[in-house]
């Protein structure tokens, strides 16, 4: 399976902690950074994984950090003026793989989440969400039955927080590729790539499913509180 890890951003919400290095290189302990942990856990549960890391801010530090981890790098030189839509566009060639998992580089998750869900092949497109997480400031998901209705940062009524992980089969990954290229050509590169999925739902009746990961420990590192939670997850996995 192909894993596209988006790790190009500046991590401005965590400044000044991220003034000298990307937040994905924050140390969870004396030996392990957030990104290094994610890459090595993927390798643990998918030995044949093709791992692609999209870099931008202080990209040389990330390349040096992972130089022995057999990953491919894609550089987004416009990271400061684009969002994940732009970063994924630079990795668009990898959306032609048979099975693709797109994951943010600041995700810290339990071993069980990687083993049970993230590193498993999928036969249909789905996003991961947590119905126990209720934060109106996050990117949230509303559902109907077993499918996603809409995803947005502007939802007041929603089922759960989006976990910044999307899994695609061969058909849906190519569908996303087409939508991504169209939106970037229309200069929408400052949007989230998930907005392309929403457009596909609204305009093409795209069937996007979800997996609720409420029983797993995970966090997306956007705040100092998240950093503390990430360290706790790391300690519990040792």
């Amino acid at each position: 399976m192909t894993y596209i890890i988006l790790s190009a951003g500046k991590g401005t919400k965590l400044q000044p902690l991220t003034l000298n290095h990307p937040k994905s290189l924050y140390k969870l302990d004396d030996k392990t950074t957030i990104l290094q942990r994610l890459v090595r856990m993927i390798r643990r549960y998918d030995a044949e994984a093709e791992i692609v890391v999209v870099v931008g801010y202080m990209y040389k530090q990330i390349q040096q950090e992972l130089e022995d981890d057999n990953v491919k790098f894609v550089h987004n030189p416009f990271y400061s003026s684009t969002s994940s839509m732009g970063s994924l566009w630079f990795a668009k060639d990898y959306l032609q793989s048979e099975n693709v998992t797109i994951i943010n580089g600041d995700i810290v998750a339990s071993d069980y989440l990687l083993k049970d869900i993230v590193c498993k092949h999928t036969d249909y497109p789905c996003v991961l969400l947590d119905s126990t997480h209720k934060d109106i400031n996050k990117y949230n998901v509303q559902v109907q039955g077993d499918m996603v209705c809409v995803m947005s940062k502007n939802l007041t009524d929603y089922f759960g927080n989006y976990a910044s992980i999307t899994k695609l089969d061969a058909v849906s990954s190519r569908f996303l590729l087409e939508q991504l290229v169209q939106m970037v050509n229309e200069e929408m590169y400052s949007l989230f790539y998930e907005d392309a999925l929403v457009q596909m739902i609204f305009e093409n009746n795209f069937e996007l499913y979800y997996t609720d990961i409420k029983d797993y420990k995970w966090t997306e590192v956007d705040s100092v509180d998240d950093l503390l939670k990430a360290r706790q997850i790391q300690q519990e996995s040792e």
Side-chain angles (χ1 to χ4, degrees):
M1 185 157 55
T2 297
Y3 301 81
I4 301 176
I5 302 176
L6 303 177
S7 191
K10 297 178 69 173
T12 53
K13 292 180 181 178
L14 277 170
Q15 289 180 350
L17 296 178
T18 54
L19 290 177
N20 295 318
H21 58 74
K23 69 175 174 178
S24 61
L25 296 191
Y26 177 80
K27 287 187 177 293
L28 297 172
D29 56 32
D30 291 339
K31 301 178 181 178
T32 312
T33 64
I34 293 173
L35 186 56
Q36 187 183 68
R37 181 181 190 275
L38 178 59
V39 168
R40 293 182 179 178
M41 286 183 69
I42 290 172
R43 286 267 178 247
R44 182 184 305 168
Y45 298 114
D46 186 354
E48 302 301 319
E50 177 184 47
I51 301 177
V52 181
V53 181
V54 183
V55 295
Y57 178 64
M58 297 189 178
Y59 69 93
K60 291 184 179 179
Q61 288 190 27
I62 295 178
Q63 290 177 331
Q64 183 176 1
E65 171 80 4
L66 299 178
E67 62 182 354
D68 297 323
D69 286 282
N70 188 27
V71 303
K72 299 176 181 177
F73 294 101
V74 174
H75 184 216
N76 174 7
F78 307 111
Y79 65 88
S80 62
S81 58
T82 63
S83 189
S84 62
M85 181 85 75
S87 286
L88 187 58
W89 184 88
F90 280 97
K92 63 184 181 298
D93 291 346
Y94 295 98
L95 287 174
Q96 301 184 60
S97 300
E98 292 304 306
N99 231 256
V100 180
T101 294
I102 307 170
I103 182 169
N104 283 6
D106 58 353
I107 297 295
V108 177
S110 70
D111 287 59
Y112 294 108
L113 180 55
L114 271 289
K115 180 181 178 181
D116 296 346
I117 299 176
V118 176
C119 294
K120 293 288 188 182
H121 282 244
T122 185
D123 296 321
Y124 52 87
C126 71
V127 296
L128 275 56
L129 62 80
D130 192 328
S131 61
T132 65
H133 283 212
K134 300 290 185 178
D135 186 342
I136 199 170
N137 297 311
K138 297 287 187 178
Y139 202 90
N140 294 307
V141 186
Q142 184 56 285
V143 305
Q144 183 174 11
D146 56 359
M147 289 195 293
V148 174
C149 297
V150 66
M151 303 164 62
S152 175
K153 275 199 169 186
N154 298 312
L155 289 175
T156 56
D157 184 23
Y158 55 90
F159 183 67
N161 290 165
Y162 171 57
S164 297
I165 304 172
T166 297
K167 296 179 66 64
L168 303 169
D169 64 343
V171 174
S172 59
S173 62
R174 286 162 176 77
F175 196 0
L176 175 58
L177 172 61
E178 293 175 3
Q179 185 69 40
L180 182 75
V181 170
Q182 176 185 329
M183 293 178 74
V184 169
N185 286 341
E186 294 173 358
E187 300 185 6
M188 298 183 186
Y189 38 74
S190 62
L191 300 177
F192 298 107
Y193 83 84
E194 293 87 355
D195 293 328
L197 294 172
V198 174
Q199 286 297 105
M200 290 156 59
I201 293 171
F202 285 174
E203 296 180 358
N204 305 103
N205 295 317
F206 178 66
E207 294 185 346
L208 178 63
Y209 296 84
Y210 71 90
T211 298
D212 190 352
I213 59 171
K214 63 181 181 180
D215 295 325
Y216 296 89
K217 292 184 178 181
W218 72 280
T219 188
E220 183 173 20
V221 179
D222 284 328
S223 68
V224 175
D225 286 338
D226 294 336
L227 288 174
L228 297 177
K229 184 176 180 180
R231 282 192 164 181
Q232 182 179 2
I233 293 172
Q234 169 67 1
Q235 291 171 0
E236 291 175 356
S237 68
E238 293 178 343

